[in-house]
Short mmCIF file of all heavy atoms in Angstrom, two decimals:
data_model
loop_
_atom_site.label_atom_id
_atom_site.label_comp_id
_atom_site.label_asym_id
_atom_site.label_seq_id
_atom_site.Cartn_x
_atom_site.Cartn_y
_atom_site.Cartn_z
N LEU A 292 24.02 -12.13 -33.03
CA LEU A 292 22.70 -11.96 -32.42
C LEU A 292 21.56 -12.09 -33.44
O LEU A 292 20.41 -12.31 -33.05
CB LEU A 292 22.60 -10.59 -31.73
CG LEU A 292 23.42 -10.44 -30.44
CD1 LEU A 292 23.46 -8.99 -30.01
CD2 LEU A 292 22.84 -11.31 -29.33
N ARG A 293 21.88 -11.99 -34.71
CA ARG A 293 20.84 -12.11 -35.73
C ARG A 293 20.28 -13.53 -35.79
O ARG A 293 19.15 -13.75 -36.25
CB ARG A 293 21.37 -11.69 -37.10
CG ARG A 293 21.43 -10.18 -37.28
CD ARG A 293 21.53 -9.80 -38.76
NE ARG A 293 22.88 -9.95 -39.26
CZ ARG A 293 23.81 -8.97 -39.20
NH1 ARG A 293 23.49 -7.80 -38.65
NH2 ARG A 293 25.02 -9.17 -39.67
N THR A 294 21.07 -14.50 -35.36
CA THR A 294 20.60 -15.89 -35.39
C THR A 294 20.41 -16.50 -34.01
O THR A 294 19.86 -17.60 -33.90
CB THR A 294 21.60 -16.77 -36.18
OG1 THR A 294 22.91 -16.62 -35.62
CG2 THR A 294 21.64 -16.36 -37.65
N ASN A 295 20.87 -15.82 -32.98
CA ASN A 295 20.75 -16.38 -31.62
C ASN A 295 20.85 -15.25 -30.61
O ASN A 295 21.87 -14.57 -30.55
CB ASN A 295 21.87 -17.40 -31.38
CG ASN A 295 21.69 -18.16 -30.08
OD1 ASN A 295 20.67 -18.02 -29.41
ND2 ASN A 295 22.67 -18.97 -29.73
N ASN A 296 19.80 -15.04 -29.81
CA ASN A 296 19.84 -13.92 -28.86
C ASN A 296 20.37 -14.31 -27.49
O ASN A 296 20.47 -13.47 -26.59
CB ASN A 296 18.46 -13.27 -28.72
CG ASN A 296 17.41 -14.21 -28.15
OD1 ASN A 296 17.71 -15.36 -27.83
ND2 ASN A 296 16.19 -13.73 -28.05
N ARG A 297 20.74 -15.58 -27.31
CA ARG A 297 21.39 -16.02 -26.07
C ARG A 297 22.72 -16.66 -26.47
O ARG A 297 22.74 -17.77 -27.01
CB ARG A 297 20.52 -17.00 -25.29
CG ARG A 297 19.17 -16.41 -24.86
CD ARG A 297 18.45 -17.34 -23.90
NE ARG A 297 19.11 -17.40 -22.62
CZ ARG A 297 18.93 -16.52 -21.62
NH1 ARG A 297 18.08 -15.52 -21.78
NH2 ARG A 297 19.56 -16.66 -20.48
N LEU A 298 23.80 -15.96 -26.21
CA LEU A 298 25.10 -16.37 -26.73
C LEU A 298 25.88 -17.22 -25.73
O LEU A 298 25.88 -16.96 -24.53
CB LEU A 298 25.92 -15.15 -27.11
CG LEU A 298 25.32 -14.23 -28.19
CD1 LEU A 298 26.25 -13.06 -28.47
CD2 LEU A 298 25.02 -15.00 -29.47
N LYS A 299 26.56 -18.24 -26.28
CA LYS A 299 27.46 -19.09 -25.50
C LYS A 299 28.89 -18.73 -25.89
O LYS A 299 29.29 -18.92 -27.04
CB LYS A 299 27.17 -20.56 -25.78
CG LYS A 299 28.02 -21.53 -24.95
CD LYS A 299 27.63 -22.98 -25.23
CE LYS A 299 28.46 -23.95 -24.40
NZ LYS A 299 28.07 -25.36 -24.66
N VAL A 300 29.65 -18.21 -24.93
CA VAL A 300 30.97 -17.62 -25.22
C VAL A 300 32.02 -18.27 -24.34
O VAL A 300 31.79 -18.53 -23.16
CB VAL A 300 30.94 -16.09 -24.96
CG1 VAL A 300 32.30 -15.46 -25.26
CG2 VAL A 300 29.85 -15.44 -25.80
N TRP A 301 33.20 -18.52 -24.92
CA TRP A 301 34.31 -19.16 -24.20
C TRP A 301 35.59 -18.39 -24.45
O TRP A 301 35.98 -18.16 -25.58
CB TRP A 301 34.44 -20.60 -24.68
CG TRP A 301 35.63 -21.37 -24.17
CD1 TRP A 301 36.30 -21.18 -22.98
CD2 TRP A 301 36.30 -22.46 -24.82
NE1 TRP A 301 37.33 -22.08 -22.86
CE2 TRP A 301 37.36 -22.88 -23.99
CE3 TRP A 301 36.09 -23.11 -26.04
CZ2 TRP A 301 38.21 -23.92 -24.33
CZ3 TRP A 301 36.93 -24.16 -26.38
CH2 TRP A 301 37.98 -24.55 -25.52
N SER A 302 36.25 -18.00 -23.37
CA SER A 302 37.60 -17.42 -23.41
C SER A 302 38.57 -18.54 -23.06
O SER A 302 38.69 -18.94 -21.91
CB SER A 302 37.71 -16.26 -22.42
OG SER A 302 39.05 -15.83 -22.31
N ALA A 303 39.29 -19.05 -24.08
CA ALA A 303 40.20 -20.19 -23.90
C ALA A 303 41.60 -19.69 -23.58
O ALA A 303 42.08 -18.73 -24.18
CB ALA A 303 40.22 -21.04 -25.16
N ALA A 304 42.28 -20.36 -22.62
CA ALA A 304 43.60 -19.92 -22.15
C ALA A 304 43.52 -18.48 -21.67
O ALA A 304 44.20 -17.58 -22.16
CB ALA A 304 44.65 -20.08 -23.25
N CYS A 305 42.67 -18.26 -20.66
CA CYS A 305 42.29 -16.91 -20.23
C CYS A 305 43.31 -16.25 -19.32
O CYS A 305 43.13 -15.09 -18.93
CB CYS A 305 40.94 -16.95 -19.53
SG CYS A 305 40.98 -17.80 -17.91
N SER A 306 44.36 -16.98 -18.92
CA SER A 306 45.38 -16.42 -18.04
C SER A 306 44.74 -15.86 -16.76
O SER A 306 43.93 -16.52 -16.13
CB SER A 306 46.20 -15.37 -18.79
OG SER A 306 47.26 -14.89 -18.01
N THR A 307 45.06 -14.62 -16.40
CA THR A 307 44.60 -14.05 -15.12
C THR A 307 43.28 -13.28 -15.25
O THR A 307 42.94 -12.50 -14.37
CB THR A 307 45.69 -13.16 -14.50
OG1 THR A 307 46.22 -12.28 -15.50
CG2 THR A 307 46.83 -14.00 -13.96
N GLY A 308 42.56 -13.48 -16.35
CA GLY A 308 41.18 -13.02 -16.43
C GLY A 308 40.90 -11.75 -17.22
O GLY A 308 39.74 -11.38 -17.40
N GLU A 309 41.96 -11.09 -17.70
CA GLU A 309 41.72 -9.82 -18.39
C GLU A 309 40.84 -9.98 -19.63
O GLU A 309 39.99 -9.13 -19.91
CB GLU A 309 43.07 -9.18 -18.77
CG GLU A 309 43.87 -8.64 -17.61
CD GLU A 309 44.79 -9.68 -16.95
OE1 GLU A 309 44.58 -10.90 -17.18
OE2 GLU A 309 45.72 -9.27 -16.24
#
Side-chain angles (χ1 to χ4, degrees):
L292 289 169
R293 281 198 280 272
T294 55
N295 188 6
N296 64 1
R297 300 189 69 84
L298 300 180
K299 183 177 180 179
V300 180
W301 173 28
S302 171
C305 69
S306 185
T307 47
E309 289 88 342

